[in-house]
Amino acid sequence: ARIFCGGYVLTVDDIQENDGDCHQFDAMLSAATILVSEVDVVRERIQSCFPPAWNIELLWLSSLVRICSGQVLRRLGGTEGNNLVCFSVKQLLDLVSWIGKVIEAVEGCHPSLSSRVTTTKRQWREDRPSVLSPDEKMVDCDAAREHLLLDCEVLWEVHRLAQEEFLIKTREQAIAFFTTIYSSPPLHHRINSGCLSSSLCEDLFSVIHTHLSLLHEHLPPTSDALIMAICLIFFHLRSIHLQYRIRFLSNLERCIVAANDFYRME
């Protein structure tokens, strides 16, 4: 807990008091990400400095996931994720990405746990029994693994909720952006060869490029959320395009412009 608080304080040093909960969540998740990245260091370098019975790696991992889960759940409004609607697309992506890293770290250290994770909703409690033995000289491995399993199940549920909210916001943004572009008159221009075209292609794909860059920055190539978001973006691009295409066919010149634009968009 002290390590988490130390990391959290470091990340909020540059945050102004009036920046609000948005930046507080970013700082918390940044601290949690730093701690998750230290799991390999604990396993490969630190664990060997202690007696095997202490199970430092298991103790570190179970404590880390419990503390970080508690911090995340408090800001989400509980396991139901009531506050997720207030999160930005970037924050949702960061949360989905962080949970993926936590699960990956757990599976890397304890592969057997991944097969035991279920979708059964269990009550998450922060004030749970200690994972140490009564004399506090050894780690109760069974208790630690059970705590770790509970936290992973809760995080997977949060992952599902955050991913759903992210896809909802992606769909809403795609529809809003594409509708604005198609409903606004594009800037017509004629290149040296005499070919008529407009700014429609550049306007659309600048928006798409921004979306895709954000997705690739936060999600691995194998992420389900990445694939579904890309499908949503291009599905609604096609839908809005079909809805507004008749606007580009009002006279011969606009038909030529539209034909060239649509050709460049292929």
Side-chain angles (χ1 to χ4, degrees):
R2 291 195 185 100
I3 295 176
F4 178 87
C5 292
Y8 177 78
V9 169
L10 287 175
T11 57
V12 300
D13 277 345
D14 297 328
I15 295 176
Q16 302 297 324
E17 291 183 2
N18 58 356
D19 280 343
D21 293 337
C22 172
H23 290 81
Q24 292 293 321
F25 175 82
D26 293 340
M28 180 277 299
L29 205 58
S30 177
T33 301
I34 293 173
L35 292 179
V36 172
S37 68
E38 296 294 324
V39 171
D40 289 338
V41 176
V42 173
R43 183 174 65 247
E44 297 171 4
R45 300 182 183 180
I46 299 179
Q47 182 172 231
S48 59
C49 300
F50 296 88
W54 286 21
N55 288 287
I56 293 298
E57 178 267 330
L58 179 58
L59 180 61
W60 169 275
L61 190 59
S62 62
S63 301
L64 161 67
V65 176
R66 178 180 65 82
I67 293 169
C68 292
S69 298
Q71 293 286 332
V72 168
L73 290 175
R74 274 194 288 274
R75 285 161 178 78
L76 296 188
T79 55
E80 300 299 323
N82 297 318
N83 296 337
L84 282 173
V85 294
C86 303
F87 284 35
S88 67
V89 169
K90 180 182 180 300
Q91 287 177 318
L92 292 168
L93 281 173
D94 286 338
L95 180 58
V96 169
S97 176
W98 177 78
I99 293 176
K101 292 176 182 177
V102 172
I103 300 300
E104 182 180 344
V106 171
E107 290 179 346
C109 298
H110 303 278
S112 60
L113 282 180
S114 60
S115 62
R116 295 177 55 196
V117 175
T118 66
T119 56
T120 303
K121 292 185 178 180
R122 294 194 287 171
Q123 183 179 5
W124 189 91
R125 293 181 55 194
E126 191 167 11
D127 56 335
R128 59 186 71 171
S130 173
V131 297
L132 298 177
S133 60
D135 58 6
E136 297 188 348
K137 293 183 178 180
M138 296 180 62
V139 175
D140 185 339
C141 294
D142 291 337
R145 292 191 184 97
E146 191 61 30
H147 290 183
L148 201 53
L149 180 63
L150 171 60
D151 291 326
C152 286
E153 290 176 348
V154 171
L155 286 178
W156 267 127
E157 177 63 13
V158 171
H159 183 278
R160 181 187 68 80
L161 295 172
Q163 182 170 285
E164 287 181 355
E165 185 63 31
F166 157 69
L167 293 174
I168 290 173
K169 289 184 182 295
T170 298
R171 182 189 63 198
E172 292 174 347
Q173 287 188 356
I175 292 174
F177 281 130
F178 294 147
T179 299
T180 299
I181 292 173
Y182 272 99
S183 60
S184 303
L187 177 64
H188 289 203
H189 54 265
R190 185 191 302 269
I191 62 176
N192 293 333
S193 63
C195 179
L196 288 170
S197 62
S198 78
S199 60
L200 178 65
C201 182
E202 289 75 15
D203 294 341
L204 286 172
F205 282 92
S206 64
V207 170
I208 293 173
H209 176 73
T210 301
H211 274 283
L212 296 185
S213 297
L214 182 64
L215 293 173
H216 286 295
E217 180 182 347
H218 292 82
L219 298 175
T222 56
S223 169
D224 291 340
L226 173 64
I227 297 170
M228 288 188 285
I230 292 175
C231 289
L232 270 176
I233 290 171
F234 283 98
F235 171 82
H236 288 292
L237 171 60
R238 179 181 182 276
S239 176
I240 301 297
H241 176 84
L242 294 176
Q243 179 182 345
Y244 282 90
R245 65 177 178 176
I246 194 64
R247 294 181 65 252
F248 301 93
L249 308 176
S250 58
N251 56 51
L252 178 60
E253 181 175 313
R254 295 196 68 179
C255 286
I256 295 173
V257 170
N260 289 329
D261 285 342
F262 298 162
Y263 177 76
R264 291 194 299 137
M265 289 165 59
E266 290 182 350

